[in-house]
Amino acid sequence: HKASDSSTPQWISVMMSLCLCFYCAEISIRLFVARLAFFDDIWAYLDVAMIFCAITEFFLEAISGDAQSFGAVRVVRLFRLTRVARAIKLFDSLRELRKLLAMMGGCLRSLVWSFVICFLVMTLWACVAVEVLHPLVQILEGQGEWQGCKQCA
């Protein structure tokens, strides 16, 4: 909606606010349970920074009514992409999913090398074909084989 200069639908704003409340509650509970050990996890800093940016954007939007006028808000909105990095944290606890992703990576690596080998083989045969066929095409052209051909001109 931002690219078309139209306003964000109300339901999206409500869902964003609910997610922010959920994240704040989660961080509060984790901080209460873990106490100072909460800050031993590097992901905790990412979570706190993400919530801080979301709250900053929320207040700037509430104060001005239109947060688009602030250039810093654009940077804060880009920081929302860290939520994707937060999902990576879940992969640590899912051993089977991690194995599956590792196998997919190995498969992708094999596919890339297969494409490289196919490219090299096809390039080699193309070079051989040019070296062998070009003199024959020159001879046929000299004999007038393609005089009426519109595509051969």
Side-chain angles (χ1 to χ4, degrees), residues 30-41 44-45:
R30 284 174 44 202
L31 186 60
F32 178 74
V33 170
R35 309 277 183 209
L36 290 177
F38 172 79
F39 295 105
D40 292 341
D41 185 18
Y45 291 106

Side-chain angles (χ1 to χ4, degrees), residues 5-127:
D5 289 333
S6 62
S7 62
T8 305
Q10 186 64 30
W11 70 272
I12 291 179
S13 299
V14 169
M15 291 303 292
M16 286 175 42
S17 298
L18 286 174
C19 286
L20 178 61
C21 291
F22 174 76
Y23 286 145
C24 288
E26 178 194 9
I27 290 292
S28 300
I29 291 170
R30 284 174 44 202
L31 186 60
F32 178 74
V33 170
R35 309 277 183 209
L36 290 177
F38 172 79
F39 295 105
D40 292 341
D41 185 18
I42 192 74
W43 290 103
Y45 291 106
L46 178 68
D47 292 343
V48 170
M50 184 179 66
I51 289 173
F52 177 75
C53 288
I55 290 173
T56 303
E57 179 187 356
F58 182 77
F59 281 123
L60 285 175
E61 209 167 286
I63 290 170
S64 71
D66 179 29
Q68 298 293 331
S69 59
F70 294 105
V73 173
R74 292 182 183 141
V75 175
V76 171
R77 285 190 175 151
L78 285 176
F79 196 73
R80 286 183 192 169
L81 294 176
T82 59
R83 292 178 188 172
V84 175
R86 189 175 188 265
I88 294 171
K89 181 171 69 170
L90 296 175
F91 293 151
D92 291 341
S93 61
L94 303 173
R95 196 178 86 201
E96 292 83 12
L97 181 59
R98 211 178 13 187
K99 284 182 180 179
L100 178 65
L101 290 175
M103 288 187 286
M104 284 176 53
C107 217
L108 184 62
R109 199 173 15 248
S110 298
L111 280 173
V112 167
W113 282 113
S114 298
F115 287 132
V116 168
I117 289 172
C118 285
F119 173 77
L120 292 174
V121 168
M122 289 172 54
T123 302
L124 175 74
W125 281 110
C127 291

